[in-house]
């Protein structure tokens, strides 16, 4: 039987309200079945919708389930930060001061609250070579200049990303999304360095599961990219990622390496959350 449940809607990875990635959060998911959660996520029509449950692991503060409009995800970045912000806004207190422990499909994920920007510890990332056939299909489908491709790999941190690094941010910013031929079943992440401005890198993510969509800001992709760069010894200091520029968003993702061991230590992925809507939903 449907009941009234606390609900919030927030905007993640931007200090500018409505400049980031929208998220719907149902703060009481008790007794909701998978079909009901998927139906509501489809109705919100946001990149993701999350549902909070009492913790099934005694070390966790809460469990969450994360849904896109078409499927459930084991982990996602902006839902992690956004859900944590909404959970705190609802008056909850973590078991340990300064850290929230969220239990999701990839296990426990810690959100550090002690810095100037809340940040989650990036989950482990598996890094494998990209098949030549896949690289050729992506290069052709996105109209990339193969001579501008610097590196490529397949990254798996729950979601699976086909990642390509280009020589410069203009390679991404001049890419016409309207001219892309989707490579069905892939999520493609592009990254390239900036030479000026407040961001160190530009990122774009294209989901090709059902047609083509560009994600405004993708925390899980940026977490995977950070681990990829760490294996190359390229995450020595805190840096900022810009994402969403081409779709009129102002996303900023903070990549924060371990001060003690930047080459092997944990990496945190941070960002600001604006809570825009509070109320109740009948589900």
């Amino acid at each position: 039987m449907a009941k009234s449940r606390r609900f919030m809607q927030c905007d993640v990875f931007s200090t500018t309200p409505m400049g980031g990635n929208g998220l719907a959060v149902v703060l009481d998911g008790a007794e909701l079945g998978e079909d009901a959660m998927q139906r509501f996520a489809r109705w919100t029509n946001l990149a993701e919708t999350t549902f909070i449950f009492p913790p099934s692991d005694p070390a966790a503060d809460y469990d969450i389930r994360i849904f896109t409009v078409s499927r459930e995800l084991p982990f996602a970045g902006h839902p992690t930060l956004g859900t944590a912000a909404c959970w705190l806004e609802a008056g909850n207190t973590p078991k340990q001061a300064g850290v929230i422990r969220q239990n999701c499909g990839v296990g426990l994920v810690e959100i550090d609250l002690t810095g100037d920007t809340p940040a989650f510890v990036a989950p482990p990332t598996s890094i494998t070579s990209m098949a030549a056939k896949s690289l050729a299909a992506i290069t052709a489908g996105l109209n990339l200049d193969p001579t501008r491709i610097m590196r490529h790999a397949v990254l798996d941190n729950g979601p699976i990303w086909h990642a390509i690094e280009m020589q410069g941010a203009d390679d991404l910013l001049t890419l016409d999304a309207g001219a892309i031929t989707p490579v069905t079943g892939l999520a493609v992440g592009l990254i390239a360095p900036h030479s000026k401005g407040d961001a160190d890198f530009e990122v774009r993510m294209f989901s090709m599961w059902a047609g083509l969509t560009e994600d405004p800001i993708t925390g899980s992709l940026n977490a995977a990219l950070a681990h990829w760069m760490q294996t190359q010894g390229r995450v020595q200091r805190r840096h900022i990622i810009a994402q969403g520029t081409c779709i009129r968003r102002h996303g900023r993702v903070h990549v924060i390496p371990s001060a003690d061991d930047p080459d092997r230590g944990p990496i945190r992925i941070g960002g600001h959350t604006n809570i825009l809507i509070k109320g109740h939903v009948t589900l």
Side-chain angles (χ1 to χ4, degrees):
M1 183 181 218
K3 70 175 187 179
S4 179
R5 303 170 189 269
R6 292 187 71 182
F7 171 80
M8 293 186 191
Q9 195 161 319
C10 61
D11 181 61
V12 189
F13 283 127
S14 183
T15 55
T16 304
M18 296 175 286
N21 202 352
L23 176 73
V25 180
V26 177
L27 288 120
D28 172 18
E31 301 174 357
L32 276 175
E34 186 171 316
D35 287 347
M37 288 187 281
Q38 185 64 79
R39 203 161 48 243
F40 184 64
R42 188 164 53 245
W43 179 82
T44 68
N45 202 32
L46 294 169
E48 279 96 19
T49 299
T50 64
F51 301 84
I52 300 179
F53 296 87
S56 59
D57 184 322
D61 290 294
Y62 55 81
D63 288 5
I64 69 164
R65 295 183 68 176
I66 306 166
F67 287 82
T68 72
V69 296
S70 61
R71 62 196 177 103
E72 185 171 6
L73 298 178
F75 169 75
H78 97 274
T80 292
L81 291 180
T83 301
C86 290
W87 184 79
L88 289 171
E89 181 69 16
N92 295 295
T93 303
K95 293 175 180 176
Q96 180 180 334
V99 61
I100 291 174
R101 292 186 175 89
Q102 165 190 289
N103 191 30
C104 59
V106 297
L108 290 176
V109 175
E110 291 190 355
I111 300 102
D112 180 6
L113 306 175
T114 61
D116 56 355
T117 305
F120 64 85
V121 177
T125 299
S126 169
I127 303 169
T128 56
S129 299
M130 189 185 301
K133 183 177 180 180
S134 298
L135 177 61
I138 294 167
T139 301
L142 274 65
N143 302 305
L144 300 177
D145 180 349
T147 68
R148 301 282 294 174
I149 294 175
M150 301 292 290
R151 299 172 183 84
H152 49 81
V154 178
L155 313 177
D156 182 351
N157 62 350
I160 297 174
W161 312 103
H162 282 67
I164 295 175
E165 182 173 355
M166 305 295 290
Q167 286 187 23
D170 282 348
D171 292 317
L172 276 60
L173 297 173
T174 59
L175 191 159
D176 180 5
I180 289 175
T181 301
V183 184
T184 304
L186 297 185
V188 176
L190 304 177
I191 184 170
H194 271 288
S195 59
K196 58 184 179 181
D198 70 311
D200 300 285
F201 294 88
E202 186 77 28
V203 163
R204 295 183 77 175
M205 192 284 268
F206 299 100
S207 175
M208 304 184 185
W209 289 96
L212 176 73
T213 58
E214 180 170 359
D215 196 45
I217 304 97
T218 319
S220 47
L221 169 61
N222 280 289
L225 291 170
H227 274 304
W228 183 34
M229 292 174 66
Q230 185 185 48
T231 64
Q232 303 156 19
R234 299 168 62 208
V235 185
Q236 298 298 309
R237 61 177 181 84
R238 180 171 180 156
H239 63 264
I240 296 176
I241 305 285
Q243 191 179 349
T245 308
C246 293
I247 52 175
R248 298 184 181 181
R249 303 293 179 92
H250 192 266
R252 293 294 185 270
V253 179
H254 296 253
V255 177
I256 309 165
S258 166
D260 297 329
D261 189 0
D263 289 327
R264 288 179 297 275
I267 295 176
R268 290 176 170 79
I269 304 298
H272 187 75
T273 296
N274 300 287
I275 296 174
L276 302 179
I277 299 172
K278 299 181 191 179
H280 292 80
V281 61
T282 302
L283 287 174

